[in-house]
Amino acid sequence: MAGLKVKNLTKRFADFAALSDVSLDVADGEFVAVLGPSGCGKTTLLRMVAGFEQPDDGEITIGGKVMSGAGINVQPENRKVGIVFQNYALWPHMNVAENVGYSLRVAKVDKATREKRVEEALALVNLQGFGERRPANLSGGQRQRVALARCLVAAPSLVLFDEPLANLDVHLRAAMEDEFAAFHKRTGTTIVYITHDQAEAMALADRIAVLDHGRLMQFATPRMLYEEPANEMVASFIAQGMVLPAEILSAAQDGACRVRILGQEAVLRCRPDEIARADAKVCVRAGDLEVVEMGGIPIRVKRSIYRGGGSRIEASPAERPDIELHFDLPDPARLEEGTQARLAIRTGWVIPRAEGAVR
Amino acid sequence: MLDTKRHQGHDAALIATVTVVVAALSILPMFRLGMEIIAPQGRFSTTALQSALSSSATWVATWHSLQVGIGGTLLAVILGTAVALLISLTDIRFRSAFVLLFVAPLLIAPQVTALAWLQLFGPASPFLKLIGLAPPLGSRNPLYSTGGIILLLGVQYGPLVFLIVRAGLRKLPRELVEAGLSSGAGKWTVLTTIILPLMTPSIIGATALAFVSCVGNFGIPAFLGIPANYLVLPTLIYQRLAGAGPSVLSEVAVLSMLIGIIAMAGIFAQDYAARRRDYRIVSTSLPAQPFALGRWQIAVEAGLALLILLVLVLPLVGLLLTALVPAYGVPLNWQTATLANFKFILTEHGAASRAFGNSIGLSLAAAAFAVVLAVPLGYLITWRERWWTKFLNLSAELPYALPGVVLAIASLLLFLKPVPVIGLHIYNTIWIILYAYLARFLVLALRPTISGLHQIDRALEEAAQVAGAGLMRRMRTIIFPLVAPATLAGGVLIFMTAFSELTVSALLWASGSETIGVVIFSFEQGGDSSYAAAISVLVVAVTFLLMLSTNLFARHLPSGVLPWRD
Ligand SMILES: Nc1ncnc2c1ncn2[C@@H]1O[C@H](COP(=O)(O)OP(=O)(O)OP(=O)(O)O)[C@@H](O)[C@H]1O
Ligand SMILES: [Mg+2]
């Protein structure tokens, strides 16, 4: 087992900075998800941890040993990390057992031990008896499990996943998610898991690192990300948060402060060091909004989408048509397009002033 | 960290080895040739340059080279493009068979093509005798002429144009054609206003390649031009060297440079066209629906069959018949037909039977070497791409892109004296031919390897890397098995090409190191056409056998690796 430390990592492709100054400290045995929009540098980060790309700056330490940086560059074959690739990368010219046993053969493990460990690894992923099959004759889910077994058999101290479920259908995804979680629990391996599926990340990870444009936005537990986003990007990226302009009326007291949002006053959660200021931004989520008869923010409904058991309403404040709001309206209540209504903000989070990563 | 060093050592060793080998096979001979032109025998002088360039024979041969080069190219382009359009755009039947048969002349050595056609039309032609149309004995073969050379060059390289244009047509998105049709244009209008303009880059590229091949061809002008005293640059070089030996090397180096320059003009034109090709058709989609020929279908099919009969079947039949004739001019029938010629060349004639051994050995060695080198080289060029890897690729292409005569002269210059320091002496041995073959044919295995690697997900190698496998082991257990089919197909192509090669070996052979091509050439020059035909029949048979047997594992290959397979 080994923890992973990434310090001030920077990677440029020509002039383009794919990663800038990213630092992560993954504890031994932790399951960390890396989340971010397409092109934000997730794969680049993973490839540098694995050793396929050299950082332009910064340092990567695995299990206390420096792998990249400071003039050192340990080759991928000597890093003892496992990877599960998005498209499985099973070798088509070898059968399942040969695929799984490859790293043992490389390590010159004797044949009997090798066969035993391959069988064990296949059992771990519920593929007993599949050893003689060719990768081409397996279903997508089975291939992914072979890839997992291949990575497990060498008992790596750190396992990297690059969007391992992206090619699978929804049902299979749920089953594989359970399998990954079980695997993590059983082995206690440190895992870095790349995905752009938030639900997947939230369900699996102890902590999530959110990347955007090659920068680390926030590295925190799923709950923290949802409830206390560190900046506007995380606020709007996670669970489609709405970022609204606001004025803070009072300094923080017991983790909350009074704010004025779109002309309405409300009490929102905030950092303990929050002070009164005019240029604040707050994050509210669909569940924090409620339709009221009196008071609240006057809105005009733009669109109503039936979602089964309720509708999702998209609307704008009557005075600020440029701001988009959305919330869920349970049946039997209905709001047609073009109608007016009033919204109250029940709770929310004041986005801290100093943007940047919080660790 | 020790481990790290060792692995990086392997990496560096691989890169160094591959680079040194490619440089020794490509840069070194070309550099030596260049040196000879500015500083013959190591002293700076323009004497050789002047004497070569002031000789009228040089300019006559240059003029002839351009004449047959341009004529042959035109014919090849018209023939190849027309057949490519017919086969790719219409609902013709038996498509794969037509492709196989139409491409075949490309795989038959030019001197065999020349011999076959000569046998077909000559006054002694057993075929014409059979049908009672033979000209009187002693009359001149009509193919001993400029027109004859142009005709055969066109037939030889028409398939080359065909392959390139057909590849272009396959990438033509059907929406473009359908958009034209649905805006009311007839098929002919769509062909001339949409399809042909879109194909210009392919056609230009094919034209340039055909031109380089025509100008560099030795076998056809040697068989058809030398008897008529019509010399082109490659045959002029051959005659000079054969007549005066190494003393004229400096002069023929200048001549080979002239062909090099003419060919380079073609290569640059092709490069230009290839760069234009990329942006012209962006969408990738299914190929266009074939045009229905309707009641013309049978007529077009019959026309194509007739074409194949003319350019492939009849000449080969002529060749076979000549091989069965007991002596020059004897009419062929059941009584006179004999296998004595085969027996003679295989068992009785020393040089001929030796040549079979030599050619098989040379082509096997060249193919094996190219396969072994192509994998790490292709790996560096595709998966370890750096700024310098494209120079590796260019260097590997150069000895094949330039006419064979150029490489042969360069090899002669390089090895005429024992190589300094290591004292390697291979002049006048079979090893100098092997050296030239290795240099010339490497790229035939490299190209399919590269296209194979482009189709393989690099993650397959990375997965092995994280499993702890070092470079050498990955090469052996992952990369080689994955590209092996493509690379080996390249090896087969090399074997076929080298097996009956003439251009290079005609200048490099010595007694004891004859190749099949050389023996065919000598028999024909000595008037023993029947022996030459017998060897050629065997060569063609080997070629066809190889084509058909590689077809068996064609489904494991990236498309386009086997040129004769549709
Ligand atoms: N070898 C390369 N050369 C140039 N640019 C690259 C290279 N590899 C990645 N990039 C660029 O770096 C950025 C980050 O790429 P990366 O593959 O890490 O994104 P990602 O977060 O994994 O995206 P996705 O979710 O789509 O997989 C992208 O803009 C990409 O175009
Ligand atoms: Mg990615």
Side-chain angles (χ1 to χ4, degrees), chain A residues 13-14 16-18 36-45 47 53 86 162-163 194-196 211:
Chain A
F13 293 112
F16 176 78
S38 182
C40 68
K42 304 183 292 289
T43 300
T44 308
L45 174 64
R47 291 176 62 80
E53 309 265 4
Q86 176 174 340
D162 189 2
E163 308 207 22
I194 291 193
T195 176
H196 57 234
L211 286 184

Side-chain angles (χ1 to χ4, degrees), chain A residues 47 50 52 66 72-78 80-83 85 87 89-94 102-103 105-106 108 150, chain B residues 1 3-4 7-8 11 384 457-471 473-474 477-479 481-482:
Chain A
R47 291 176 62 80
F52 295 127
V66 178
I72 293 170
N73 169 36
V74 178
Q75 292 292 299
E77 52 264 44
N78 302 323
K80 299 203 177 9
V81 298
I83 300 194
F85 293 86
N87 42 12
L90 298 180
W91 299 301
H93 59 295
M94 301 182 191
Y102 186 81
S103 58
R105 220 172 75 203
V106 170
K108 301 201 169 64
R150 181 176 69 182
Chain B
M1 291 313 95
D3 235 21
T4 313
H7 279 288
Q8 277 166 350
D11 239 47
R384 292 289 186 89
D457 187 354
R458 174 119 196 239
L460 292 176
E461 189 214 355
E462 293 172 344
Q465 213 170 351
V466 292
L471 182 64
R473 180 188 287 270
R474 296 200 301 276
T477 59
I478 307 290
I479 301 165
L482 288 174

